Amino acid sequence: MSQNSIIEAAASVFARLNAERIDPAYAMASDIPLELSGEAVRARLCVFTDHRGGEKVMRPDLTLPVAGQEVERRLNGDADAKNYTYAARAFRLPASKDDLLEFTQVGFERFGGESTPGADAEAFVLVQDAVAACAVETIGSATGDLRLFPSVVDALGLSSLMSDLLKRAFRQDGGVKNLINKAPAAPDAEILAALESDDVPSAVTRVLSQRGIDLIGTRSLDEIIEGLQAKATAAATGGVPKAAADALLALQSIDCPLEDAPSALQALITEHGLSGLDGIIGAIAERIDLMKQDVAGEVAKSRFRSGYGRRFTYYDGFVFETFGQNLSSNQPVAAGGRYDGLVSDLSGGKISASAIGGVVRPDRVARACGEASS
């Protein structure tokens, strides 16, 4: 199939949603993706300065600009559930030399519907149907649930400071293991004084300037301050207790066939004496059962990874990536997930709405089929 045929095939499946077809603004203020994405994504953004001197980025995906448009709609008084579909261009600096800077995403976004295992399963099935319509054979999907790690942290009975520190570390590549394995050492006295000042950004900037450290690179001042505060907190709390560390490392090591996930999680909470997790494990089990009803073959070759998360950090629930032949492990042909907190984040807490979406990458589908992408 040509890429145009792949685009049409995937779009025809997402058209089942009877959704509004959308192609939002190509550029957005840089602070939107920078505040909502991790450092790995930050380094891949296409940044430019507009004629007024403001920093802008080309849309790195379609979810962010579509969600921004949904925020405007809801702020204007329309709070009904809403579905969108698109076949539009996104822009990211390639993670691999054979990836494209400018590429098409064919996808959907659903706002204001039920946030349930059934809705999660429906989104997964819809994406798998779209991939199947493109006549590509997948090699399986990686799935996870970003509610799981914070739920286990809450079940450990740690201090609020340590719990918050662990939850932030989960969003960083290798963050949890680094936090557990490294002996906590507080920042020096001058940095600690800056962190305790009335104007922390100014105080930290002044200390960095005095030391000849320029704010150049992929980390913003806010991220530097957050890292220093996390380091100070880790030292103040004495590090992660051994029992909690053992449980969290065991959790992050779970990488099993998708159908085995509920039993693997149940074994973990039994071994470590945790409680209060029946709800989330039950939801994961229900979602898997519902997925099996429609795409049993894809479920059978898929895996559940408890430490798995999408590169865009606004995802906060069920997440998945689907893979094909001839591509690396960071080049899924399709992906999706839940981001129930995004509307609230973009609106500064003024409104909220559940949200879930999924996309197909036609250029990667073509390569998975052994065809050249363009």
Side-chain angles (χ1 to χ4, degrees):
M1 297 176 71
S2 68
Q3 278 204 57
N4 285 339
S5 297
I6 292 169
I7 290 170
E8 291 173 4
S12 68
V13 173
F14 296 145
R16 298 176 193 169
L17 295 172
N18 295 318
E20 178 183 338
R21 188 71 174 263
I22 190 172
D23 188 358
Y26 275 63
M28 66 179 70
S30 64
D31 59 341
I32 296 173
L34 293 181
E35 290 177 3
L36 294 171
S37 302
E39 290 184 25
V41 172
R42 174 193 292 275
R44 295 179 59 200
L45 296 175
C46 299
V47 184
F48 67 96
T49 302
D50 67 13
H51 64 287
R52 298 187 181 91
E55 189 176 69
K56 302 285 188 180
V57 298
M58 300 297 288
R59 60 190 187 195
D61 71 349
L62 271 294
T63 297
L64 283 175
V66 172
Q69 188 160 320
E70 174 67 6
V71 166
E72 292 300 318
R73 183 181 75 90
R74 289 177 174 270
L75 288 174
N76 288 330
D78 188 351
D80 293 338
K82 181 81 171 182
N83 299 336
Y84 300 93
T85 63
Y86 47 78
R89 304 294 251 183
F91 307 83
R92 290 203 294 272
L93 298 177
S96 304
K97 63 180 181 180
D98 51 0
D99 253 340
L100 302 174
L101 183 150
E102 178 182 350
F103 54 89
T104 297
Q105 288 186 332
V106 184
F108 70 93
E109 316 286 339
R110 308 188 72 177
F111 296 92
E114 293 184 335
S115 184
T116 63
D120 290 351
E122 183 180 353
F124 181 81
V125 170
L126 193 62
V127 170
Q128 301 312 314
D129 286 350
V131 171
C134 300
V136 59
E137 179 68 26
T138 68
I139 59 175
S141 297
T143 76
D145 194 319
L146 295 173
R147 300 172 303 156
L148 182 60
F149 184 87
S151 296
V152 171
V153 169
D154 289 341
L156 290 170
L158 302 171
S159 69
S160 59
L161 285 174
M162 181 52 69
S163 293
D164 289 345
L165 191 60
L166 283 164
K167 291 173 185 179
R168 287 199 300 270
F170 178 67
R171 291 294 190 173
Q172 304 162 5
D173 188 22
V176 174
K177 286 186 178 179
N178 288 338
L179 181 60
I180 289 172
N181 294 333
K182 288 184 177 179
D188 62 49
E190 193 174 19
I191 290 291
L192 283 175
L195 294 174
E196 295 170 359
S197 69
D198 293 334
D199 186 351
V200 174
S202 295
V204 170
T205 300
R206 185 166 52 253
V207 173
L208 295 177
S209 178
Q210 290 170 350
R211 297 181 181 187
I213 301 173
D214 296 324
L215 291 176
I216 298 174
T218 60
R219 298 185 70 199
S220 68
L221 178 60
D222 286 344
E223 288 172 328
I224 291 171
I225 291 172
E226 183 176 330
L228 291 170
Q229 289 172 331
K231 188 175 181 181
T233 300
T237 56
V240 183
K242 185 178 186 307
D246 290 344
L248 292 174
L249 290 174
L251 172 66
Q252 289 214 287
S253 70
I254 292 178
D255 182 348
C256 64
L258 179 54
E259 295 173 276
D260 294 345
S263 59
L265 292 170
Q266 188 61 54
L268 180 137
I269 68 171
T270 299
E271 179 181 352
H272 294 276
L274 304 178
S275 60
L277 296 168
D278 291 344
I280 188 168
I281 294 176
I284 290 171
E286 181 182 354
R287 182 169 62 222
I288 294 169
D289 287 341
L290 292 169
M291 289 158 57
K292 286 168 61 177
Q293 292 179 13
D294 291 301
V295 286
E298 185 64 28
V299 170
K301 57 187 177 183
S302 296
R303 300 191 69 80
F304 180 87
R305 296 172 182 162
S306 57
Y308 172 76
R310 294 295 311 282
R311 294 175 183 83
F312 288 98
T313 57
Y314 50 74
Y315 286 91
D316 53 18
F318 173 52
V319 288
F320 65 91
E321 291 182 328
T322 300
F323 300 94
Q325 302 286 349
N326 306 316
L327 297 160
S328 70
S329 60
N330 66 347
Q331 296 175 312
V333 297
R338 181 165 290 284
Y339 43 96
D340 287 346
L342 182 57
V343 167
S344 177
D345 288 341
L346 290 175
S347 67
K350 295 178 183 177
I351 53 174
S352 62
S354 65
I356 192 168
V359 298
V360 172
R361 281 279 300 263
D363 60 311
R364 291 178 178 169
V365 169
R367 287 172 53 201
C369 295
E371 302 171 7
S373 63
S374 60

